[in-house]
Amino acid sequence: MPVRRRVWFLFGLIAILALALGACAAPVTAPTDDSGSESASTEAAATEAPAEESEGEAAAGDAPTIALVYGVAGDGFYITMERGLREAAEAAGVNAVADGPSQFDPVQQTPILDAMVARGVDAICIAATDKQAMVEPMQRANDAGIPIISVDTFVGDGDYENGPVTFPLSYVGSDNVEGGRIACNALIDNMGGEGKIYIQNVKPGVSTTDQREQGCREAIEATNGAVELVGVDYNDDSAAVAAEQTAAVLQREPDLGAVFGANLFSAQGAAQAVANAGLTGVVRVANFDAPEAAIEDLRNEVVDIVIAQLPYEMGQKCVEYSLMALDGNADEIPARWPTGYVEITRDNVDSEEAQNAIYSSN
Ligand code: T6T
């Protein structure tokens, strides 16, 4: 074979070998279980999508892997966060894996976090399901040398500079006291500044929803007695329980003016109970979180305000900070990154900003 042809033959051989090796090294892609009905806690349920060539660089076999441990499977808020994280990872040419429990529960979330450590991920973004119970498991992951970033919820008191827990590099999430205040001020305005409010919440110990309740209580206190808080119930993140509890309160408090649903499932159940009782437009509902169903309830006048968080941006930001940590620039990461809200009402629901803020359902 002439020398030039032999050189091209060798190049061809090397290229084919490289392609074959690349195909062997590609991680398996599995669809995320978003049904919420089965446990997502097994290793098999963890999803791994290497970045492909569309935007940014392709992830190499030795590219770092960023893990997301979310709060609960089947929740549009975390589905949207995972999308943001995966798309940012893809654009940066790194790998992403995501997993979370089938219930919003630290006992179920801990083994999922442990499994991420055991598989040797390079950074972890985590929405802790309890601000105390998750400190120790997260500390273990940090002690294994893995940079930890809180997304959505925090541990300790969330002050990662001066608080009791400082090992997470950052807390990326909404200002939830402010969110609760926005929701209940809107309700108070719609009630004409007086009347009775009831809060549907998840369970004590979750940083986000505790703070939303606090913000709502502050808004009520600022009315100097014109508005009364008639009660708070905890539904353990179940819309069915939220609906039952709200129905009981509607019976007990015939002159109830408004309900604050402090997260997606709380608000979904509350809105359903109000509609079922034929009290649409009489009992006002503020809906924290923005799945498509909440937007329908808004259009049907069951709900007066939908407070959309920005979970997609939370996922993106966590990738950015993970990469900074992996590049040795952890000291440049801010200890707190508030992501903001889009307040959606019937007046702006068709705006581009509101439409973009609606959560993905898969
Ligand atoms: O409201 C979000 C999240 O911010 C909260 O921590 C838990 O509930 C949601 O995931 C909505 O279901």
Side-chain angles (χ1 to χ4, degrees), residues 72 75 77-78 104 152-153 174 176 202 206 208-209 212 237 262-265 288-289 309 314 359:
V72 67
D75 177 335
F77 172 83
Y78 293 117
F104 200 90
D152 174 39
T153 50
S174 310
N176 287 290
V202 179
V206 181
T208 46
T209 48
R212 289 170 205 163
D237 217 25
N263 85 331
L264 191 151
F265 300 107
F288 216 93
D289 290 307
Q309 303 187 76
M314 291 179 202
Y359 302 170

Side-chain angles (χ1 to χ4, degrees), residues 36-59:
S37 57
E38 284 170 35
S39 169
S41 65
T42 59
E43 187 73 349
T47 58
E48 180 156 352
E52 283 160 20
E53 279 151 41
S54 50
E55 297 159 53
E57 314 147 43

Side-chain angles (χ1 to χ4, degrees), residues 94 134 178 191 242 339:
V94 299
M134 290 309 295
E178 180 59 14
M191 287 162 55
T339 38

